[in-house]
Amino acid sequence: MKDLEVIKELPIIKTNFKDVKVSLKETIAKYRGIVVTEEGLQDCKATQKELAGLRNKIDDFRKTVKKDMEVPIREFEGQCKELMGLISDAEQPIKEGITIFDNKRREEKRNKALELIQESIQAYQLNEKYSSNLTVLDKYLNLSASAKSVKEDIAQRAASLAKEQQDELKLKEIEKSTILATIESANVNIKSKLKFEDFDRYINMNYPLDKIVKEINIRAEAISKAENPPEPPKEEIKPIDKVNEQKVIHTHSKLVQKQAKEIETLYFYELRVVANGENMLKLKELVQSEGFKYETLNKGIFKK
């Protein structure tokens, strides 16, 4: 390919800058020292507008000249982009092909890493919990990563996970021993014995040991209360002396009589009795005897 050659001619702008500067200073000299007052406010506004017009005129002229001077620069940029486009058209298929092969190599590296991970899991006897943490890292897929460095890194991570797993198993054994001892102690005073299986799930749920021990004691106490309910208190029978006994009997007798009277059925008759004086006295004695109640509604001499 032939190299791109550029013959640069830096833009040269010649102006009558000095003459304009001198003239401008003379022009704005008359504006210096103007004090804005209420009486001369309108004149000051007109003066400010005139100065702004001069400033804008110079700025517009600057922009126009700059735009004209940038024309060859824009043409040069367009030419360079056109050449770059030709290169990109030829480069793109090659880049795509390289990407395909690189991805294939990365996939091969991934499969190799998975194979090494599986070997380490078996070698260090990692359980499901810890083996799931031994994953393929992005750095294993780098095209520059060597198989040796990947293997060493996986082995190092597996060893670290194996230690964590072993520490956890030891801790669980300690917890199990404590729980068994607590259950054995609690079972001494109860018939329905507690079993380790009743609390094994708490270990799997990572419950704190003190809470598991507390739960064992609570259950044992509940079983003990159920197996040994408290006896009802016995009522104390006090001896009754003869005087009080007679009072009780007498009171009871009166109560029975009162109840008998309360439930006795009473009858009434409304009669008109006609008799002589002697028989009336006999009737009066009868109704005034015990067991009768009467009320005189009317009385007088019977007329035939």
Side-chain angles (χ1 to χ4, degrees), residues 223-275:
I223 294 173
S224 177
K225 287 182 178 180
E227 292 178 347
N228 303 285
E231 295 183 0
K234 296 181 180 180
E235 295 184 1
E236 184 180 356
I237 302 176
K238 296 182 179 180
I240 303 176
D241 55 30
K242 291 184 178 181
V243 176
N244 290 334
E245 185 178 3
Q246 291 177 356
K247 288 182 178 180
V248 171
I249 294 173
H250 181 67
T251 302
H252 179 69
S253 176
K254 284 188 174 182
L255 181 61
V256 170
Q257 292 177 3
K258 182 179 180 182
Q259 290 177 346
K261 288 182 179 180
E262 288 178 352
I263 62 175
E264 183 180 7
T265 303
L266 302 177
Y267 302 91
F268 73 93
Y269 292 90
E270 291 185 0
L271 302 174
R272 183 181 182 190
V273 180
V274 178

Short mmCIF file of all heavy atoms in Angstrom, two decimals, residues 223-275:
data_model
loop_
_atom_site.label_atom_id
_atom_site.label_comp_id
_atom_site.label_asym_id
_atom_site.label_seq_id
_atom_site.Cartn_x
_atom_site.Cartn_y
_atom_site.Cartn_z
N ILE A 223 -42.91 -32.57 79.22
CA ILE A 223 -43.22 -34.00 79.38
C ILE A 223 -43.32 -34.36 80.86
O ILE A 223 -44.21 -35.10 81.28
CB ILE A 223 -42.15 -34.85 78.67
CG1 ILE A 223 -42.21 -34.63 77.16
CG2 ILE A 223 -42.33 -36.33 79.00
CD1 ILE A 223 -41.09 -35.31 76.38
N SER A 224 -42.41 -33.82 81.65
CA SER A 224 -42.41 -34.11 83.08
C SER A 224 -43.70 -33.63 83.74
O SER A 224 -44.29 -34.33 84.57
CB SER A 224 -41.20 -33.45 83.74
OG SER A 224 -41.21 -33.66 85.13
N LYS A 225 -44.16 -32.46 83.37
CA LYS A 225 -45.41 -31.94 83.94
C LYS A 225 -46.60 -32.78 83.52
O LYS A 225 -47.53 -33.00 84.30
CB LYS A 225 -45.61 -30.49 83.51
CG LYS A 225 -44.67 -29.51 84.19
CD LYS A 225 -44.96 -28.08 83.75
CE LYS A 225 -44.05 -27.10 84.46
NZ LYS A 225 -44.32 -25.69 84.03
N ALA A 226 -46.57 -33.26 82.26
CA ALA A 226 -47.67 -34.09 81.78
C ALA A 226 -47.69 -35.45 82.48
O ALA A 226 -48.76 -36.01 82.75
CB ALA A 226 -47.56 -34.28 80.27
N GLU A 227 -46.52 -35.98 82.78
CA GLU A 227 -46.43 -37.30 83.43
C GLU A 227 -46.65 -37.21 84.94
O GLU A 227 -47.01 -38.20 85.57
CB GLU A 227 -45.06 -37.92 83.14
CG GLU A 227 -44.85 -38.30 81.68
CD GLU A 227 -43.46 -38.87 81.43
OE1 GLU A 227 -42.59 -38.73 82.32
OE2 GLU A 227 -43.26 -39.46 80.35
N ASN A 228 -46.43 -36.08 85.52
CA ASN A 228 -46.58 -35.90 86.97
C ASN A 228 -47.48 -34.71 87.28
O ASN A 228 -47.00 -33.67 87.75
CB ASN A 228 -45.21 -35.71 87.62
CG ASN A 228 -44.26 -36.85 87.32
OD1 ASN A 228 -44.38 -37.93 87.88
ND2 ASN A 228 -43.31 -36.61 86.41
N PRO A 229 -48.77 -34.86 86.99
CA PRO A 229 -49.67 -33.73 87.26
C PRO A 229 -49.78 -33.49 88.76
O PRO A 229 -49.73 -34.43 89.56
CB PRO A 229 -51.00 -34.20 86.66
CG PRO A 229 -50.92 -35.69 86.69
CD PRO A 229 -49.48 -36.04 86.46
N PRO A 230 -49.95 -32.29 89.21
CA PRO A 230 -50.07 -32.00 90.66
C PRO A 230 -51.38 -32.56 91.22
O PRO A 230 -52.42 -32.54 90.57
CB PRO A 230 -50.05 -30.47 90.70
CG PRO A 230 -50.50 -30.04 89.34
CD PRO A 230 -50.01 -31.08 88.39
N GLU A 231 -51.31 -33.13 92.47
CA GLU A 231 -52.51 -33.68 93.11
C GLU A 231 -53.40 -32.54 93.60
O GLU A 231 -52.90 -31.52 94.08
CB GLU A 231 -52.11 -34.55 94.30
CG GLU A 231 -51.32 -35.80 93.89
CD GLU A 231 -51.00 -36.66 95.10
OE1 GLU A 231 -51.40 -36.27 96.22
OE2 GLU A 231 -50.37 -37.71 94.92
N PRO A 232 -54.73 -32.73 93.47
CA PRO A 232 -55.64 -31.67 93.94
C PRO A 232 -55.55 -31.54 95.46
O PRO A 232 -55.38 -32.54 96.17
CB PRO A 232 -57.02 -32.16 93.50
CG PRO A 232 -56.86 -33.64 93.33
CD PRO A 232 -55.45 -33.87 92.89
N PRO A 233 -55.65 -30.37 96.01
CA PRO A 233 -55.56 -30.19 97.47
C PRO A 233 -56.72 -30.87 98.20
O PRO A 233 -57.86 -30.83 97.74
CB PRO A 233 -55.61 -28.66 97.63
CG PRO A 233 -56.29 -28.17 96.39
CD PRO A 233 -55.90 -29.12 95.30
N LYS A 234 -56.41 -31.54 99.33
CA LYS A 234 -57.44 -32.22 100.13
C LYS A 234 -58.12 -31.24 101.06
O LYS A 234 -57.47 -30.40 101.69
CB LYS A 234 -56.80 -33.35 100.94
CG LYS A 234 -56.19 -34.45 100.07
CD LYS A 234 -55.59 -35.54 100.95
CE LYS A 234 -54.99 -36.65 100.09
NZ LYS A 234 -54.39 -37.72 100.94
N GLU A 235 -59.47 -31.38 101.14
CA GLU A 235 -60.22 -30.51 102.04
C GLU A 235 -60.11 -31.02 103.47
O GLU A 235 -60.29 -32.22 103.74
CB GLU A 235 -61.68 -30.45 101.62
CG GLU A 235 -61.89 -29.80 100.25
CD GLU A 235 -63.37 -29.70 99.93
OE1 GLU A 235 -64.19 -30.11 100.79
OE2 GLU A 235 -63.69 -29.21 98.83
N GLU A 236 -59.83 -30.14 104.37
CA GLU A 236 -59.71 -30.51 105.79
C GLU A 236 -61.09 -30.58 106.43
O GLU A 236 -61.87 -29.63 106.36
CB GLU A 236 -58.84 -29.47 106.51
CG GLU A 236 -58.58 -29.83 107.96
CD GLU A 236 -57.72 -28.80 108.65
OE1 GLU A 236 -57.29 -27.85 107.94
OE2 GLU A 236 -57.48 -28.92 109.85
N ILE A 237 -61.41 -31.75 107.02
CA ILE A 237 -62.71 -31.94 107.68
C ILE A 237 -62.55 -31.67 109.16
O ILE A 237 -61.80 -32.36 109.86
CB ILE A 237 -63.23 -33.38 107.46
CG1 ILE A 237 -63.35 -33.65 105.95
CG2 ILE A 237 -64.56 -33.58 108.17
CD1 ILE A 237 -63.75 -35.08 105.64
N LYS A 238 -63.20 -30.63 109.62
CA LYS A 238 -63.11 -30.26 111.03
C LYS A 238 -64.20 -30.98 111.83
O LYS A 238 -65.34 -31.09 111.38
CB LYS A 238 -63.27 -28.75 111.19
CG LYS A 238 -62.15 -27.97 110.52
CD LYS A 238 -62.34 -26.48 110.76
CE LYS A 238 -61.21 -25.69 110.11
NZ LYS A 238 -61.38 -24.24 110.32
N PRO A 239 -63.86 -31.50 113.01
CA PRO A 239 -64.88 -32.16 113.86
C PRO A 239 -65.91 -31.16 114.36
O PRO A 239 -65.59 -30.01 114.66
CB PRO A 239 -64.06 -32.73 115.02
CG PRO A 239 -62.82 -31.88 115.07
CD PRO A 239 -62.53 -31.51 113.66
N ILE A 240 -67.15 -31.60 114.43
CA ILE A 240 -68.24 -30.73 114.88
C ILE A 240 -68.60 -31.12 116.31
O ILE A 240 -68.88 -32.30 116.60
CB ILE A 240 -69.47 -30.88 113.98
CG1 ILE A 240 -69.06 -30.56 112.52
CG2 ILE A 240 -70.60 -30.00 114.43
CD1 ILE A 240 -70.17 -30.78 111.54
N ASP A 241 -68.58 -30.17 117.22
CA ASP A 241 -68.95 -30.48 118.61
C ASP A 241 -70.45 -30.67 118.70
O ASP A 241 -71.21 -30.37 117.79
CB ASP A 241 -68.46 -29.39 119.57
CG ASP A 241 -68.96 -28.02 119.15
OD1 ASP A 241 -70.05 -27.95 118.56
OD2 ASP A 241 -68.25 -27.02 119.40
N LYS A 242 -70.89 -31.22 119.85
CA LYS A 242 -72.30 -31.60 120.01
C LYS A 242 -73.22 -30.40 119.96
O LYS A 242 -74.31 -30.46 119.40
CB LYS A 242 -72.48 -32.33 121.34
CG LYS A 242 -71.81 -33.70 121.35
CD LYS A 242 -72.11 -34.42 122.65
CE LYS A 242 -71.48 -35.82 122.65
NZ LYS A 242 -71.78 -36.56 123.91
N VAL A 243 -72.78 -29.29 120.55
CA VAL A 243 -73.64 -28.10 120.56
C VAL A 243 -73.86 -27.62 119.14
O VAL A 243 -74.99 -27.37 118.71
CB VAL A 243 -73.01 -26.99 121.42
CG1 VAL A 243 -73.85 -25.73 121.33
CG2 VAL A 243 -72.87 -27.45 122.86
N ASN A 244 -72.76 -27.53 118.38
CA ASN A 244 -72.88 -27.08 117.00
C ASN A 244 -73.66 -28.08 116.17
O ASN A 244 -74.38 -27.72 115.24
CB ASN A 244 -71.50 -26.86 116.39
CG ASN A 244 -70.80 -25.65 117.00
OD1 ASN A 244 -71.47 -24.73 117.47
ND2 ASN A 244 -69.47 -25.67 117.01
N GLU A 245 -73.48 -29.38 116.52
CA GLU A 245 -74.20 -30.42 115.78
C GLU A 245 -75.69 -30.27 115.96
O GLU A 245 -76.48 -30.39 115.02
CB GLU A 245 -73.73 -31.79 116.25
CG GLU A 245 -74.35 -32.94 115.44
CD GLU A 245 -73.82 -34.29 115.90
OE1 GLU A 245 -73.03 -34.32 116.85
OE2 GLU A 245 -74.20 -35.29 115.29
N GLN A 246 -76.12 -30.00 117.23
CA GLN A 246 -77.54 -29.81 117.49
C GLN A 246 -78.07 -28.58 116.77
O GLN A 246 -79.18 -28.58 116.23
CB GLN A 246 -77.77 -29.66 119.00
CG GLN A 246 -77.52 -30.96 119.77
CD GLN A 246 -77.68 -30.77 121.27
OE1 GLN A 246 -77.92 -29.64 121.72
NE2 GLN A 246 -77.55 -31.86 122.03
N LYS A 247 -77.23 -27.52 116.74
CA LYS A 247 -77.65 -26.31 116.03
C LYS A 247 -77.82 -26.60 114.55
O LYS A 247 -78.76 -26.13 113.92
CB LYS A 247 -76.62 -25.20 116.23
CG LYS A 247 -76.62 -24.61 117.63
CD LYS A 247 -75.61 -23.48 117.72
CE LYS A 247 -75.62 -22.84 119.11
NZ LYS A 247 -74.63 -21.74 119.21
N VAL A 248 -76.90 -27.37 114.02
CA VAL A 248 -76.98 -27.70 112.60
C VAL A 248 -78.23 -28.51 112.31
O VAL A 248 -78.95 -28.27 111.34
CB VAL A 248 -75.71 -28.47 112.17
CG1 VAL A 248 -75.89 -29.02 110.76
CG2 VAL A 248 -74.50 -27.57 112.23
N ILE A 249 -78.51 -29.51 113.20
CA ILE A 249 -79.70 -30.36 113.00
C ILE A 249 -80.96 -29.53 113.10
O ILE A 249 -81.88 -29.66 112.30
CB ILE A 249 -79.71 -31.51 114.03
CG1 ILE A 249 -78.52 -32.45 113.76
CG2 ILE A 249 -81.02 -32.28 113.96
CD1 ILE A 249 -78.35 -33.52 114.82
N HIS A 250 -81.01 -28.66 114.12
CA HIS A 250 -82.19 -27.82 114.32
C HIS A 250 -82.40 -26.88 113.13
O HIS A 250 -83.52 -26.73 112.63
CB HIS A 250 -82.03 -27.02 115.62
CG HIS A 250 -83.22 -26.15 115.93
ND1 HIS A 250 -84.46 -26.66 116.25
CD2 HIS A 250 -83.33 -24.79 115.94
CE1 HIS A 250 -85.31 -25.66 116.45
NE2 HIS A 250 -84.64 -24.51 116.27
N THR A 251 -81.29 -26.29 112.71
CA THR A 251 -81.37 -25.37 111.56
C THR A 251 -81.81 -26.12 110.32
O THR A 251 -82.62 -25.64 109.54
CB THR A 251 -80.00 -24.72 111.32
OG1 THR A 251 -79.60 -24.03 112.49
CG2 THR A 251 -80.07 -23.74 110.16
N HIS A 252 -81.29 -27.33 110.16
CA HIS A 252 -81.66 -28.13 109.00
C HIS A 252 -83.14 -28.50 109.03
O HIS A 252 -83.83 -28.47 108.00
CB HIS A 252 -80.79 -29.40 108.97
CG HIS A 252 -81.11 -30.31 107.82
ND1 HIS A 252 -80.82 -29.98 106.52
CD2 HIS A 252 -81.71 -31.53 107.79
CE1 HIS A 252 -81.22 -30.95 105.72
NE2 HIS A 252 -81.76 -31.92 106.48
N SER A 253 -83.63 -28.81 110.25
CA SER A 253 -85.05 -29.18 110.40
C SER A 253 -85.94 -28.01 110.02
O SER A 253 -86.94 -28.16 109.31
CB SER A 253 -85.32 -29.62 111.84
OG SER A 253 -86.69 -29.89 112.02
N LYS A 254 -85.58 -26.82 110.51
CA LYS A 254 -86.37 -25.63 110.17
C LYS A 254 -86.34 -25.36 108.68
O LYS A 254 -87.33 -24.97 108.08
CB LYS A 254 -85.83 -24.42 110.92
CG LYS A 254 -86.23 -24.40 112.40
CD LYS A 254 -85.82 -23.08 113.02
CE LYS A 254 -86.33 -22.97 114.45
NZ LYS A 254 -85.98 -21.68 115.07
N LEU A 255 -85.16 -25.58 108.11
CA LEU A 255 -85.02 -25.34 106.68
C LEU A 255 -85.90 -26.29 105.89
O LEU A 255 -86.56 -25.90 104.93
CB LEU A 255 -83.55 -25.51 106.27
CG LEU A 255 -83.23 -25.28 104.79
CD1 LEU A 255 -83.60 -23.85 104.39
CD2 LEU A 255 -81.76 -25.55 104.51
N VAL A 256 -85.96 -27.55 106.35
CA VAL A 256 -86.81 -28.54 105.66
C VAL A 256 -88.27 -28.16 105.78
O VAL A 256 -89.04 -28.22 104.82
CB VAL A 256 -86.56 -29.95 106.24
CG1 VAL A 256 -87.59 -30.94 105.70
CG2 VAL A 256 -85.15 -30.41 105.90
N GLN A 257 -88.66 -27.72 107.00
CA GLN A 257 -90.06 -27.32 107.20
C GLN A 257 -90.40 -26.11 106.34
O GLN A 257 -91.48 -26.02 105.75
CB GLN A 257 -90.29 -27.00 108.68
CG GLN A 257 -90.23 -28.23 109.58
CD GLN A 257 -90.40 -27.85 111.05
OE1 GLN A 257 -90.62 -26.69 111.37
NE2 GLN A 257 -90.30 -28.85 111.94
N LYS A 258 -89.45 -25.18 106.29
CA LYS A 258 -89.69 -23.97 105.50
C LYS A 258 -89.84 -24.32 104.03
O LYS A 258 -90.72 -23.82 103.34
CB LYS A 258 -88.53 -23.00 105.70
CG LYS A 258 -88.72 -21.69 104.95
CD LYS A 258 -87.56 -20.76 105.21
CE LYS A 258 -87.74 -19.45 104.45
NZ LYS A 258 -86.61 -18.54 104.66
N GLN A 259 -88.97 -25.23 103.58
CA GLN A 259 -89.04 -25.63 102.17
C GLN A 259 -90.34 -26.36 101.89
O GLN A 259 -90.95 -26.20 100.83
CB GLN A 259 -87.84 -26.51 101.81
CG GLN A 259 -86.53 -25.76 101.78
CD GLN A 259 -85.35 -26.67 101.50
OE1 GLN A 259 -85.50 -27.90 101.60
NE2 GLN A 259 -84.21 -26.09 101.19
N ALA A 260 -90.79 -27.16 102.90
CA ALA A 260 -92.06 -27.90 102.73
C ALA A 260 -93.22 -26.93 102.63
O ALA A 260 -94.14 -27.12 101.83
CB ALA A 260 -92.26 -28.86 103.89
N LYS A 261 -93.15 -25.87 103.45
CA LYS A 261 -94.22 -24.87 103.40
C LYS A 261 -94.20 -24.13 102.08
O LYS A 261 -95.23 -23.79 101.52
CB LYS A 261 -94.08 -23.89 104.56
CG LYS A 261 -94.43 -24.49 105.91
CD LYS A 261 -94.29 -23.45 107.01
CE LYS A 261 -94.66 -24.03 108.38
NZ LYS A 261 -94.54 -23.02 109.45
N GLU A 262 -92.97 -23.89 101.62
CA GLU A 262 -92.86 -23.12 100.38
C GLU A 262 -93.42 -23.89 99.20
O GLU A 262 -93.98 -23.31 98.29
CB GLU A 262 -91.39 -22.76 100.13
CG GLU A 262 -90.87 -21.68 101.08
CD GLU A 262 -89.41 -21.39 100.84
OE1 GLU A 262 -88.79 -22.13 100.04
OE2 GLU A 262 -88.88 -20.44 101.44
N ILE A 263 -93.33 -25.21 99.27
CA ILE A 263 -93.80 -25.99 98.12
C ILE A 263 -95.22 -26.53 98.34
O ILE A 263 -95.75 -27.23 97.49
CB ILE A 263 -92.83 -27.15 97.85
CG1 ILE A 263 -92.79 -28.11 99.02
CG2 ILE A 263 -91.45 -26.64 97.54
CD1 ILE A 263 -91.94 -29.34 98.77
N GLU A 264 -95.85 -26.23 99.56
CA GLU A 264 -97.21 -26.73 99.84
C GLU A 264 -98.23 -26.02 98.96
O GLU A 264 -98.16 -24.81 98.77
CB GLU A 264 -97.55 -26.50 101.31
CG GLU A 264 -98.91 -27.06 101.71
CD GLU A 264 -99.20 -26.82 103.18
OE1 GLU A 264 -98.39 -26.10 103.81
OE2 GLU A 264 -100.20 -27.32 103.67
N THR A 265 -99.19 -26.77 98.41
CA THR A 265 -100.23 -26.21 97.55
C THR A 265 -101.38 -25.71 98.42
O THR A 265 -101.89 -26.44 99.26
CB THR A 265 -100.75 -27.26 96.57
OG1 THR A 265 -99.64 -27.75 95.81
CG2 THR A 265 -101.78 -26.66 95.62
N LEU A 266 -101.80 -24.48 98.25
CA LEU A 266 -102.89 -23.87 99.01
C LEU A 266 -104.12 -23.75 98.12
O LEU A 266 -104.01 -23.57 96.90
CB LEU A 266 -102.47 -22.50 99.53
CG LEU A 266 -101.22 -22.48 100.44
CD1 LEU A 266 -100.88 -21.05 100.83
CD2 LEU A 266 -101.45 -23.33 101.70
N TYR A 267 -105.33 -23.79 98.76
CA TYR A 267 -106.61 -23.71 98.04
C TYR A 267 -107.46 -22.60 98.65
O TYR A 267 -107.26 -22.22 99.81
CB TYR A 267 -107.37 -25.04 98.14
CG TYR A 267 -106.58 -26.22 97.59
CD1 TYR A 267 -105.75 -26.97 98.43
CD2 TYR A 267 -106.68 -26.57 96.25
CE1 TYR A 267 -105.03 -28.04 97.95
CE2 TYR A 267 -105.95 -27.65 95.76
CZ TYR A 267 -105.13 -28.39 96.60
OH TYR A 267 -104.43 -29.44 96.12
N PHE A 268 -108.40 -22.10 97.87
CA PHE A 268 -109.31 -21.10 98.41
C PHE A 268 -110.72 -21.36 97.86
O PHE A 268 -110.88 -21.95 96.78
CB PHE A 268 -108.84 -19.68 98.06
CG PHE A 268 -109.05 -19.32 96.61
CD1 PHE A 268 -110.22 -18.65 96.20
CD2 PHE A 268 -108.11 -19.65 95.66
CE1 PHE A 268 -110.40 -18.33 94.89
CE2 PHE A 268 -108.30 -19.33 94.33
CZ PHE A 268 -109.45 -18.65 93.94
N TYR A 269 -111.71 -20.93 98.67
CA TYR A 269 -113.12 -21.04 98.27
C TYR A 269 -113.79 -19.71 98.57
O TYR A 269 -113.56 -19.10 99.62
CB TYR A 269 -113.84 -22.15 99.07
CG TYR A 269 -113.38 -23.55 98.73
CD1 TYR A 269 -112.34 -24.14 99.43
CD2 TYR A 269 -114.00 -24.26 97.70
CE1 TYR A 269 -111.92 -25.41 99.14
CE2 TYR A 269 -113.57 -25.55 97.41
CZ TYR A 269 -112.53 -26.13 98.12
OH TYR A 269 -112.11 -27.39 97.82
N GLU A 270 -114.60 -19.27 97.69
CA GLU A 270 -115.42 -18.09 97.93
C GLU A 270 -116.87 -18.57 98.17
O GLU A 270 -117.50 -19.09 97.25
CB GLU A 270 -115.35 -17.14 96.72
CG GLU A 270 -113.99 -16.49 96.56
CD GLU A 270 -113.99 -15.46 95.45
OE1 GLU A 270 -115.06 -15.28 94.82
OE2 GLU A 270 -112.92 -14.84 95.21
N LEU A 271 -117.33 -18.42 99.42
CA LEU A 271 -118.66 -18.93 99.81
C LEU A 271 -119.53 -17.79 100.37
O LEU A 271 -119.00 -16.80 100.89
CB LEU A 271 -118.53 -20.01 100.90
CG LEU A 271 -117.68 -21.25 100.55
CD1 LEU A 271 -117.54 -22.14 101.78
CD2 LEU A 271 -118.32 -22.01 99.41
N ARG A 272 -120.77 -17.99 100.25
CA ARG A 272 -121.72 -17.11 100.97
C ARG A 272 -122.47 -17.98 101.98
O ARG A 272 -123.24 -18.86 101.60
CB ARG A 272 -122.72 -16.47 100.01
CG ARG A 272 -123.65 -15.49 100.72
CD ARG A 272 -124.64 -14.89 99.75
NE ARG A 272 -125.50 -13.94 100.42
CZ ARG A 272 -126.57 -13.38 99.91
NH1 ARG A 272 -126.92 -13.70 98.65
NH2 ARG A 272 -127.29 -12.52 100.59
N VAL A 273 -122.18 -17.79 103.24
CA VAL A 273 -122.73 -18.65 104.30
C VAL A 273 -123.91 -17.93 104.97
O VAL A 273 -123.79 -16.77 105.37
CB VAL A 273 -121.66 -19.00 105.34
CG1 VAL A 273 -122.26 -19.89 106.43
CG2 VAL A 273 -120.48 -19.69 104.66
N VAL A 274 -125.01 -18.64 105.09
CA VAL A 274 -126.20 -18.11 105.77
C VAL A 274 -126.50 -19.02 106.97
O VAL A 274 -126.65 -20.24 106.79
CB VAL A 274 -127.42 -18.07 104.83
CG1 VAL A 274 -128.65 -17.56 105.59
CG2 VAL A 274 -127.12 -17.18 103.64
N ALA A 275 -126.47 -18.47 108.14
CA ALA A 275 -126.72 -19.29 109.35
C ALA A 275 -127.17 -18.36 110.47
O ALA A 275 -127.06 -17.14 110.38
CB ALA A 275 -125.47 -20.05 109.73
#
